[in-house]
Amino acid sequence: MDISNSIRSQILSDALPYIQKYHDKVVVVKYGGNAMTNESLKEAVMSDIVLLSEVGIKVVLVHGGGPEINAMLKRVGIESKFINGLRYTDKETMDIVKMVLCGKLNKELVSALQLHGGNALGLCGCDGRLIIADKLDRDDGEDYGYVGEIKKVTTKPILDALKDGYVPIISTVGIGEDGQSYNINADTAASRIASCLRAEKLILMTDIVGLLKDKDDDSTLIPQVNVSEVPFLKKSGIISGGMIPKIDCCVEAVRRGVKRTSIIDGRVPHSILIELLTNEGIGTQFN
Amino acid sequence: MDISNSIRSQILSDALPYIQKYHDKVVVVKYGGNAMTNESLKEAVMSDIVLLSEVGIKVVLVHGGGPEINAMLKRVGIESKFINGLRYTDKETMDIVKMVLCGKLNKELVSALQLHGGNALGLCGCDGRLIIADKLDRDDGEDYGYVGEIKKVTTKPILDALKDGYVPIISTVGIGEDGQSYNINADTAASRIASCLRAEKLILMTDIVGLLKDKDDDSTLIPQVNVSEVPFLKKSGIISGGMIPKIDCCVEAVRRGVKRTSIIDGRVPHSILIELLTNEGIGTQFN
Amino acid sequence: MDISNSIRSQILSDALPYIQKYHDKVVVVKYGGNAMTNESLKEAVMSDIVLLSEVGIKVVLVHGGGPEINAMLKRVGIESKFINGLRYTDKETMDIVKMVLCGKLNKELVSALQLHGGNALGLCGCDGRLIIADKLDRDDGEDYGYVGEIKKVTTKPILDALKDGYVPIISTVGIGEDGQSYNINADTAASRIASCLRAEKLILMTDIVGLLKDKDDDSTLIPQVNVSEVPFLKKSGIISGGMIPKIDCCVEAVRRGVKRTSIIDGRVPHSILIELLTNEGIGTQFN
Amino acid sequence: MDISNSIRSQILSDALPYIQKYHDKVVVVKYGGNAMTNESLKEAVMSDIVLLSEVGIKVVLVHGGGPEINAMLKRVGIESKFINGLRYTDKETMDIVKMVLCGKLNKELVSALQLHGGNALGLCGCDGRLIIADKLDRDDGEDYGYVGEIKKVTTKPILDALKDGYVPIISTVGIGEDGQSYNINADTAASRIASCLRAEKLILMTDIVGLLKDKDDDSTLIPQVNVSEVPFLKKSGIISGGMIPKIDCCVEAVRRGVKRTSIIDGRVPHSILIELLTNEGIGTQFN
Amino acid sequence: MDISNSIRSQILSDALPYIQKYHDKVVVVKYGGNAMTNESLKEAVMSDIVLLSEVGIKVVLVHGGGPEINAMLKRVGIESKFINGLRYTDKETMDIVKMVLCGKLNKELVSALQLHGGNALGLCGCDGRLIIADKLDRDDGEDYGYVGEIKKVTTKPILDALKDGYVPIISTVGIGEDGQSYNINADTAASRIASCLRAEKLILMTDIVGLLKDKDDDSTLIPQVNVSEVPFLKKSGIISGGMIPKIDCCVEAVRRGVKRTSIIDGRVPHSILIELLTNEGIGTQFN
Amino acid sequence: MDISNSIRSQILSDALPYIQKYHDKVVVVKYGGNAMTNESLKEAVMSDIVLLSEVGIKVVLVHGGGPEINAMLKRVGIESKFINGLRYTDKETMDIVKMVLCGKLNKELVSALQLHGGNALGLCGCDGRLIIADKLDRDDGEDYGYVGEIKKVTTKPILDALKDGYVPIISTVGIGEDGQSYNINADTAASRIASCLRAEKLILMTDIVGLLKDKDDDSTLIPQVNVSEVPFLKKSGIISGGMIPKIDCCVEAVRRGVKRTSIIDGRVPHSILIELLTNEGIGTQFN
């Protein structure tokens, strides 16, 4: 980009109040979707995370991995059975999930972040019993296999990593009291981790612009929502479909003590920087 | 076992000098073979590691995973090509290796150790750039793909884990300066990690009794070897075949400052305890 | 003992849950009786204490010294006068008590424990005002001389010693606000020290098997007693005679917050290890 | 400025390598000239210093104050006598210098920096004996009064301030062993402080573009000079006049171990940010 | 003085209980009046402060500077306007106040204390926002200019200085939220700083003997006053005139948690030592 | 004493340079002779030690106990046999020595020092293996029993005590590698402890005025001796008899790195304060 140094320095200077706001605070980023599959977006995210941690923000990265899991399941010939929208996770599937999340994606993210000069530590819910989980029980009489729900987040391994100078990158595989692995939804895990860390902010990266009054018109973005308005927005259909669980995660995080949570458009390069370090932000913020 | 408390207490008391010897010292254990595939042996190893760390020994576990890697490669239909005894590792193979080691085996070990009351952190060579590697170059004109050789071990993530109260469990996937993953031999990695940590002891768990004068007679076990005798033992054929690289790891470790290294019989339950906390030891010790 | 290494390692392994239970916890041991006068029992106790401290248990040793005091008093020609079962302690007697406890026995124990590879620091109630005492006043109009009762335990010198890596070995001579020394009962002191340290366990070593239903039949040992049952056991005569003050110390310790207290048979070699690190324990436990 | 968030975030992202380069490093800034007298330039400098310290750079500010000193001297009717270009500093003048530098300018800078959200501590050479000085002796038989030369820089008060989270702002009044105050040239002091702190960078803010091949043509700026070229540049007249002592400070700093020193144009807003956090820098760098 | 060493040592010994009383405690000294203008008294005070800090007392020095401010104002031709006994402080006056207090007197005290072997750090209310102030508002409709009242004392810079081994010497210039400087009464500031530091003692050095029953007879000194008696003493005229605000500072300090505050006669050499380290004290103590 | 507060404060002030000289430095005091047996001298010594530790000097007290040992040996009917001026120490004698030194005198000193407001910890050579000793072997064919010579001083327990805020009070009973106790000369032990602690000063309290040119004329005191002059002073008979071993301890200490050592007259009240905190000192100093 051909921008004069004078403009560059002005823009850096403009970021000061935002840097001060988040300095020494915990920010949890749920990373997924296009921002994870598109290589140049991924580069931008990694660079952003390193920048944020250099300027003194304690970033915790929680990642998903749906498409890669699907590809691997297909490759080894496991067919997925869905119950009420959740994939039934048998022992074989659980193994593939773990391998793809903790063995492939997590380690690729650790490497990528380090290529940008950061220092990262890959963790999953087993390490130091970070995510203690139990078999999901929705009281609907269904057996979802090894789909889990979180019982407790042990913050020690995350705090240890931050204290020792690493960006913790977390795969959301939970562990049962009996050592069994469980498949945990990454949005839910990010929300719960953020509240247990009393994070200043939770950012969910998505493939949508944000919450739209008219879902077909990006110009109708709702920049800010108070969590008390959510039931109404659901009733009115503005929050609907796949957006519901994501926004429930935001509401839950705010209710449990996270100051602000945002759904941002991961398809925009450097969307995290825009959200955290500029005056406008991006997407929809819940508080 | 029906053993009187008086005998039990006497035996515990007999272990005192050995506990004192290793107290607050680093012991690196290369874990593999039968001890890893046989479920009850695995239980015993996990229990031993927890016991050793409870009595103040800083245990670092380095694991391999040959059979599981083979099974997964076969399952996804990748055929292996061997060059001079080393598996040519292409990009696809490397991915499978990482998934099995870092995603499956490493996390299973973390869980298993925690089921015995320990606290574990799974690491691979990428995390905190633990194992910085390069493409193997044997000066033989061959291309082995992503088989790597170790350039540098970053001890910080291991020491951080020990200081924070975890048993570090390490998968031996290395990382290049460019972020590329490399497949690293686990024995070599354990040897190198032990020397960089200035370990008191390196233990390689194997599926043999130890070094035998007559390879068909277990009663001819050589309990102790000075590394200066190794060239002679090779010439005389006592060290031969698959044993050569393992023993080279032992020699290398001793040369680089590890006090003692042992090849022990992982098929014997609690072989690690026998080696470390009894007066006889087990297998062959190099020093 | 000719026990195979496989059995040895199994027994060490069996001790793991007990080691985990007491790890980093304070255990106060009142040492006295046969275990102190018999040389080989003494060796075993010293070895046990070192073992326990090596495996991460914070042992505090409180010792008595009746027989040696008697011998020395006799040697210098002081005749003892008893009032209601308590020895009247005049200034001369008090000097002898101090010399024998703090100068002879305490230093012998420090030396003995160090011969087994431990690190010990001898303390008495004067050092750092560890045991602040007052003249015993039983409201019975009697003057017991310099027999004292504990007003306050200063835990700092004990905690300093533990933090600095020593086993504190304590002679139970108390100090008055005016600097006067007082003769303090060792069982009482151990009980009080244990409660002030919020110890996990208090062990009183005695010369009896434990609390017996029929005092002439060792097979009628009562392994566990709830402190609420003690009044009934006293009424029924099962707790009687010299056992009463000892058991009162146990009850007092439990009431003031020590998790468990045990009366064990010091005549059995390694009785402390049996009590703490095996599944059966020994003697009678109060909780 | 109306710049899109996407450009803003890109520019922030572009600054990452520069932030990483100076992270946790000491940068000494000599502040003076127009950047100090022009109110909006001053605001920009204060904002820049706060930004730099927020992103983890240890900034030390050393300031001059010529014009304000002149104004005050005039106001109280002290006439200045110059000898070889140096102002003869009698006791009365010294008092005024101290009052203006330490009492007025220093405290104004502390306040200004704090208004931008920073945390500052005003220091002069007396505080903690930061600048130990002696009467200037140029071996020219002249008496310059209380003009001083630096004998020793005590880094402790500066390091204490940085460790405790303050930006140290330093007035260059030195202190003699006998407690006498001395007037110290601010460029010289900044250079010496930078070398004693083993600073990563020394920046001298001036009112010129930098070193020019043709002093009347700003486009002939020499961006980089190796200190070994300086004698030649002096001989050729490119370095001349008032520039000589400033450049001598740069050379001296590099010789004593400062990695890089730059003369930058303080009249350009945010010149410090441009110099430190963009790819081009500004002015002339010596190394 | 020709005093035998035996008497010297006895006197040192006599000081022990007083040293013990103030060891590791904070003592705030308001320094002003004759003790500041008379050179030999000043030497004695500096020596006393160093002695007190050497024996482990945490001394905080707060200084005034009336006469020097007056002299400077006169010198630059500013005429003072008084309203209700307070000097109206316009911007120009405020600048002179700051220059004299922070630039001249403060730095002279830092130098003087260091000449006696101490280590000092000069601070004013701006540094680290030590004294956050607001425009004085007495609800009397008058505008006193930049005369300030204290809103908050930030103890961090004082505690940092003490922790880092310096005697903090404080000029009482306050800072507004908007960065404006305010002229703060030194007695009030000392009182408020003492209470915020939970000081053991506040000493106000004055030019009077103390509180006298008969103001013309020094032998009628009242050595001790309970703050509850103050209203009565005011009514009876014993506390009157210029003494009122000083004694209000004492009362306020005691009310806000300072253990003892004293008004001492700064005209007596070593009056601080007499007050703190001898059995009689000097002046009048409030508690 | 009726001394005015003004003189008192002057004398306190005069002590400042001496306090500064020894601040945070280790001073080892060998305590014995009249200063230990005379009750009022003892009170003065205890008070002095507390004063010194309050003003920041790290005092280590090493005590002897000849007369009390003799009295106790006599009381229990042990007759002493002397060989070349050394008491042959059999096992029984060793026990009495230990009891008197570690059990009686040491604890009395701990109590006495605490009565003056200090905090003390009694140690002997066994505690933490403080004084590791061996059987004295003078190569003269004689067997002196359990008279020992120092092999090594373990400074850790002394440094731990100082760090934890106690004055360590040391009985000079040594411990052999085999746990045997040895009788160690207190002057020798103090000298060795001082050099191992790199003490600023060693003070030996004696019952003589110091080194006299004419042993019958106190006015011929030699205040200072360079250790190189000692051989000459021995030859000339000025150093003779019982003074020789004491002065050898001084010489040895200086040679091993103690800055200054003094022989002072313990019969003078507060002789330690006079020596350390006045301009004249007392007795003879070796350096």
Side-chain angles (χ1 to χ4, degrees), chain A residues 1 8 270 273, chain D residues 5-15:
Chain A
M1 233 181 316
R8 285 184 179 274
H270 300 298
L273 288 194
Chain D
N5 279 332
S6 122
I7 291 179
R8 284 183 179 274
S9 63
Q10 181 58 51
I11 286 168
L12 288 168
S13 184
D14 291 349

Side-chain angles (χ1 to χ4, degrees), chain D residues 53 85 100 129 145 188 213 217 235 272 279:
Chain D
S53 71
V100 173
R129 299 183 186 79
T188 315
K213 265 184 206 138
D217 180 357
K235 217 173 290 171
I272 301 176
N279 61 333

Side-chain angles (χ1 to χ4, degrees), chain C:
Chain C
M1 232 180 318
D2 195 21
I3 295 169
S4 78
N5 279 331
S6 120
I7 290 179
R8 283 181 180 275
S9 63
Q10 181 57 52
I11 286 168
L12 288 168
S13 184
D14 291 348
L16 176 57
Y18 305 99
I19 291 175
Q20 290 178 316
K21 179 172 166 189
Y22 290 107
H23 195 84
D24 237 11
K25 300 282 171 37
V26 172
V27 171
V28 175
V29 177
K30 156 62 204 312
Y31 176 51
N34 267 309
M36 199 163 163
T37 48
N38 174 304
E39 203 51 39
S40 87
L41 284 173
K42 183 176 160 185
E43 293 295 308
V45 170
M46 292 301 112
S47 166
D48 290 358
I49 300 292
V50 173
L51 178 65
L52 294 174
S53 72
E54 283 286 327
V55 305
I57 303 173
K58 294 174 173 168
V59 187
V60 175
L61 203 65
V62 177
H63 70 89
E68 292 248 7
I69 293 171
N70 290 340
M72 193 68 191
L73 285 174
K74 198 170 156 194
R75 192 166 169 193
V76 297
I78 296 176
E79 218 160 325
S80 302
K81 181 175 106 190
F82 284 86
I83 308 171
N84 298 333
L86 286 176
R87 187 199 324 255
Y88 174 78
T89 305
D90 58 12
K91 191 152 178 36
E92 248 194 328
T93 306
M94 188 64 239
D95 271 0
I96 296 297
V97 165
K98 252 164 84 171
M99 281 193 278
V100 172
L101 286 182
C102 313
K104 187 164 188 293
L105 296 175
N106 187 282
K107 298 315 173 188
E108 281 173 11
L109 292 175
V110 165
S111 298
L113 199 132
Q114 290 178 162
L115 273 186
H116 286 84
N119 208 8
L121 205 73
L123 297 169
C124 81
C126 311
D127 296 298
R129 299 182 187 79
L130 203 158
I131 303 171
I132 298 176
D134 217 344
K135 203 170 181 330
L136 175 65
D137 181 0
R138 282 195 171 169
D139 268 336
D140 58 3
E142 292 289 354
D143 175 9
Y144 298 92
Y146 297 114
V147 174
E149 54 189 358
I150 298 175
K151 283 176 61 186
K152 183 171 174 289
V153 168
T154 311
T155 55
K156 184 177 185 299
I158 307 176
L159 296 174
D160 283 340
L162 289 169
K163 166 182 61 67
D164 293 335
Y166 304 98
V167 173
I169 301 183
I170 303 173
S171 303
T172 62
V173 170
I175 187 170
E177 297 288 0
D178 60 351
Q180 173 61 48
S181 297
Y182 289 100
N183 187 7
I184 308 280
N185 177 272
D187 291 330
T188 314
S191 166
R192 194 65 178 278
I193 287 169
S195 60
C196 290
L197 290 170
R198 317 201 138 276
E200 187 71 13
K201 179 133 196 170
L202 166 66
I203 295 175
L204 298 184
M205 300 185 81
T206 65
D207 290 344
I208 57 171
V209 169
L211 196 57
L212 302 176
K213 265 186 206 136
D214 171 353
K215 75 182 167 54
D216 299 321
D217 180 358
D218 286 3
S219 73
T220 64
L221 176 75
I222 308 176
Q224 192 134 338
V225 172
N226 189 293
V227 293
S228 63
E229 307 168 49
V230 167
F232 169 80
L233 291 168
K234 279 180 177 173
K235 215 174 292 172
S236 67
I238 288 173
I239 299 175
S240 67
M243 226 183 303
I244 292 179
K246 275 195 186 295
I247 284 169
D248 282 352
C249 286
C250 293
V251 171
E252 188 70 6
V254 170
R255 290 249 160 84
R256 287 172 179 260
V258 176
K259 286 244 182 82
R260 301 173 203 82
T261 80
S262 293
I263 288 182
I264 69 171
D265 187 349
R267 299 166 305 179
V268 174
H270 299 298
S271 52
I272 301 177
L273 288 194
I274 297 172
E275 173 62 19
L276 289 176
L277 301 187
T278 72
N279 61 334
E280 291 182 26
I282 186 170
T284 301
Q285 176 173 294
F286 295 80
N287 53 8

Side-chain angles (χ1 to χ4, degrees), chain F residues 67-99:
Chain F
E68 292 249 8
I69 292 170
N70 290 339
M72 192 68 191
L73 285 174
K74 198 171 153 193
R75 191 166 173 193
V76 297
I78 297 176
E79 216 160 325
S80 303
K81 180 175 108 191
F82 284 86
I83 308 172
N84 298 332
L86 287 176
R87 187 199 323 255
Y88 174 79
T89 305
D90 58 12
K91 193 155 176 32
E92 249 193 326
T93 306
M94 189 64 238
D95 272 0
I96 296 297
V97 166
K98 254 164 83 172
M99 281 192 279

Side-chain angles (χ1 to χ4, degrees), chain D residues 1-277:
Chain D
M1 234 181 316
D2 195 21
I3 295 170
S4 78
N5 279 332
S6 122
I7 291 179
R8 284 183 179 274
S9 63
Q10 181 58 51
I11 286 168
L12 288 168
S13 184
D14 291 349
L16 176 56
Y18 305 99
I19 291 174
Q20 290 178 315
K21 180 172 164 187
Y22 290 108
H23 194 85
D24 236 12
K25 299 283 170 37
V26 172
V27 171
V28 174
V29 177
K30 156 62 205 312
Y31 176 51
N34 267 309
M36 198 162 164
T37 49
N38 174 303
E39 203 51 39
S40 87
L41 285 174
K42 184 176 159 185
E43 292 297 307
V45 170
M46 292 301 113
S47 165
D48 291 359
I49 300 293
V50 174
L51 179 65
L52 295 174
S53 71
E54 283 288 326
V55 306
I57 303 173
K58 294 174 173 167
V59 188
V60 175
L61 203 64
V62 177
H63 69 89
E68 293 248 8
I69 292 170
N70 290 339
M72 193 68 191
L73 285 174
K74 198 172 154 192
R75 191 167 173 192
V76 298
I78 297 177
E79 215 160 327
S80 303
K81 181 175 106 192
F82 283 85
I83 308 172
N84 297 333
L86 286 176
R87 187 200 321 256
Y88 174 80
T89 305
D90 58 13
K91 193 155 176 34
E92 249 193 326
T93 306
M94 188 64 239
D95 272 0
I96 297 298
V97 166
K98 254 164 82 171
M99 280 193 279
V100 173
L101 288 181
C102 312
K104 186 162 188 295
L105 297 176
N106 187 282
K107 299 314 175 190
E108 281 173 11
L109 292 176
V110 166
S111 298
L113 200 133
Q114 288 178 163
L115 273 185
H116 286 84
N119 208 8
L121 205 74
L123 296 170
C124 81
C126 311
D127 296 298
R129 299 183 186 79
L130 202 158
I131 303 172
I132 298 177
D134 216 344
K135 204 170 179 330
L136 175 65
D137 182 359
R138 281 191 171 175
D139 267 336
D140 58 4
E142 293 289 355
D143 176 9
Y144 298 92
Y146 297 115
V147 174
E149 54 189 0
I150 299 175
K151 283 175 63 185
K152 185 171 173 288
V153 168
T154 311
T155 56
K156 185 178 184 297
I158 307 175
L159 297 175
D160 283 340
L162 290 169
K163 166 182 61 67
D164 292 335
Y166 305 98
V167 173
I169 300 183
I170 302 172
S171 302
T172 62
V173 170
I175 187 170
E177 298 288 0
D178 59 353
Q180 173 62 47
S181 296
Y182 288 100
N183 187 9
I184 308 279
N185 176 273
D187 292 330
T188 315
S191 166
R192 194 66 177 276
I193 286 168
S195 60
C196 289
L197 290 170
R198 316 201 139 276
E200 186 72 12
K201 179 133 196 169
L202 165 67
I203 293 175
L204 298 184
M205 299 186 81
T206 67
D207 291 344
I208 56 171
V209 170
L211 194 57
L212 302 176
K213 265 184 206 138
D214 171 354
K215 73 180 169 52
D216 300 321
D217 180 357
D218 285 4
S219 73
T220 64
L221 176 75
I222 309 175
Q224 192 134 338
V225 172
N226 189 291
V227 294
S228 62
E229 307 168 49
V230 168
F232 168 79
L233 291 167
K234 280 180 177 173
K235 217 173 290 171
S236 67
I238 288 173
I239 299 175
S240 68
M243 225 182 304
I244 293 180
K246 276 196 186 294
I247 285 171
D248 284 352
C249 286
C250 293
V251 171
E252 187 71 6
V254 170
R255 290 248 161 85
R256 285 172 181 261
V258 176
K259 285 242 182 85
R260 300 172 203 81
T261 82
S262 293
I263 288 183
I264 69 172
D265 187 348
R267 300 166 304 178
V268 175
H270 299 298
S271 52
I272 301 176
L273 287 194
I274 297 172
E275 173 63 18
L276 289 176
L277 301 187

